């Protein structure tokens, strides 16, 4: 077993070797610019990009022209929120989102607020679920867009996006979802789920970093979005800049592999997650789950270990185990997780909680070692600091 053990797959995943192989030719001799199609080099690059676009679109039940390539989910979220709010000023100036969105959505919403838009940040319940009735109540005749993530990156809770999308459509409002943590783990159908815009990323599904996509619905309704990156008019004028052919091809291959394993891999993850949960619960007194017990992506476990400061645990275990204390983007700050705060938990519970996320390479042996090591260290730290359990 290679140490430190990696249990932080919600932060990023390694490139699958089959993805790597699919990308290689496009990093070498197939170097054409997919926008320069007057010669064969460019035409071949364009063919590769369009083949990948069609394949990715197919996996989410979208049409190829509805899929736009970006540098990742962060850019997709920015384009969705800013682009829609800007392009639909005639319809209104109100955005509805939740308090536990990824910073890519939260911070963009705050930016829009500074630019004069009105934003409602909705509460979630103790398990991280949004109440669709609360969304319906928050809608005004100035509401343009609702943005709610499909699955949370810290606690894994799966939101009722299909219902939220239906409410949005009944009121003539657009619905955006950040599906970065759901894609490849759940089956996602943008039409059945009433989604108008959807962000996702390659590096969370064993593809390359710096590659993402935004689905923008082109029919029933046609979603108006204004470009945020201007230039040569690539991606239907919505996102200029030469496309990273190798990354696009890798993204497509990565998703294909996830979908091929969609009936076997999620149940395997779920079983490992359950083993990890039961193991920790039985060995560390007072352990509690953060999130929803069943409406959860299969690879994610967020646990409260009373009296065990997560940063102390992380530091003492850094040669054995890689995991997360709060979201990756917040690791340089000592602030409590905004997600656990949104769930109504105290700062102390937040600082005593860790996120373990499993992935394709994770084995039963790794999970057993993680249980052993975490419980041993947790009990040591607890005794050393004589902390008392509190919530
Ligand atoms: C990782 C993540 C992002 C950011 O994706 P990048 O491709 O790294 O920009 C956005 N939203 C969620 C839910 C994520 O998990």
């Amino acid at each position: 077993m290679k140490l430190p053990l990696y249990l932080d797959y919600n932060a990023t995943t390694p490139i699958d070797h089959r993805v790597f192989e699919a990308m290689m030719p496009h990093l070498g001799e197939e170097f054409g610019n997919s926008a320069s199609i007057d010669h064969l080099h460019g035409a071949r690059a364009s063919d590769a990009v369009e083949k990948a676009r069609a394949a990715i679109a197919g996996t989410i039940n979208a049409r190829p022209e509805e899929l736009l390539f970006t540098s990742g989910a962060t850019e997709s979220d920015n384009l969705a929120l800013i682009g829609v709010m800007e392009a639909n000023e005639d319809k209104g100036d109100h955005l509805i989102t939740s308090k536990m969105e990824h910073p890519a959505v939260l911070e963009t919403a705050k930016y829009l607020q500074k630019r004069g838009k009105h934003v409602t940040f909705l509460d979630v319940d103790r398990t991280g679920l949004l109440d669709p009735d609360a969304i319906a109540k928050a809608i005004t005749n100035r509401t343009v867009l609702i943005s709610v993530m499909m699955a949370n990156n810290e606690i894994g809770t799966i939101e009722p996006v299909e219902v939220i999308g239906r409410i949005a459509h009944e009121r003539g409002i657009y619905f955006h979802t950040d599906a970065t943590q759901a894609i490849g783990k759940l089956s996602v159908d943008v039409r059945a789920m009433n989604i108008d815009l959807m962000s996702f990323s390659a590096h969370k599904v064993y593809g390359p970093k710096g590659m993402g996509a935004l689905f923008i619905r082109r029919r029933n309704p046609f979603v108006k979005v204004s470009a945020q990156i201007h230039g040569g008019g690539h991606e239907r004028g919505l996102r200029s800049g030469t496309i990273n052919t190798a990354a696009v091809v890798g993204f497509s291959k990565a998703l294909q592999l996830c979908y091929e394993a969609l009936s076997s891999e999620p149940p395997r993850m779920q079983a490992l997650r359950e083993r990890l949960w039961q193991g920790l619960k039985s060995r560390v007194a007072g352990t509690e789950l953060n999130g929803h017990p069943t409406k959860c992506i299969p690879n994610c476990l967020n646990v409260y270990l009373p009296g065990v400061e997560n940063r102390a645990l992380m530091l003492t275990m850094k040669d054995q185990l890689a995991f997360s204390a709060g979201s990756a983007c917040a690791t340089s700050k000592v602030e409590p997780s905004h997600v656990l705060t949104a769930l109504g938990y105290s700062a102390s519970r937040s600082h005593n909680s860790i996120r373990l996320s499993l992935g394709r390479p994770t084995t039963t042996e790794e999970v057993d070692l993680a249980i052993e090591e975490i419980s041993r260290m947790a009990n040591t730290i607890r005794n050393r600091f004589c902390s008392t359990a509190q919530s």
Side-chain angles (χ1 to χ4, degrees), residues 101 130 135 146-150 159 161 164 175-178:
E101 296 298 310
L130 254 170
I135 295 178
I146 297 172
S147 179
V148 172
M149 66 203 320
M150 192 174 288
E159 299 300 328
V161 287
I164 298 169
F175 175 50
H176 166 253
T177 189
D178 180 337

Side-chain angles (χ1 to χ4, degrees), residues 50 59 136 139 185 227 254 285-286 294 300 325 333 347 360 374:
E50 294 317 316
T59 63
I139 294 173
K185 300 168 190 167
T294 56
C300 180
K333 304 180 216 155
R360 189 176 290 160
I374 294 172

Side-chain angles (χ1 to χ4, degrees), residues 51-114:
K51 237 176 89 189
R53 194 193 307 276
I56 297 172
T59 63
I60 58 168
N61 196 19
R63 292 181 299 147
E65 63 271 25
E66 295 177 312
L67 201 76
L68 190 110
F69 292 120
T70 66
S71 65
T74 300
E75 186 190 327
S76 298
D77 286 341
N78 273 263
L79 177 57
L81 268 63
I82 302 172
V84 167
M85 294 308 289
E86 233 180 53
N88 295 278
E89 281 172 345
D90 55 324
K91 286 181 77 178
D93 56 3
H94 181 222
L95 164 70
I96 298 173
T97 185
S98 86
K99 286 185 181 167
M100 58 159 219
E101 296 298 310
H102 188 276
V105 166
L106 269 187
E107 295 303 318
T108 306
K110 286 180 198 163
Y111 164 81
L112 284 164
Q113 222 170 11
K114 269 188 257 159

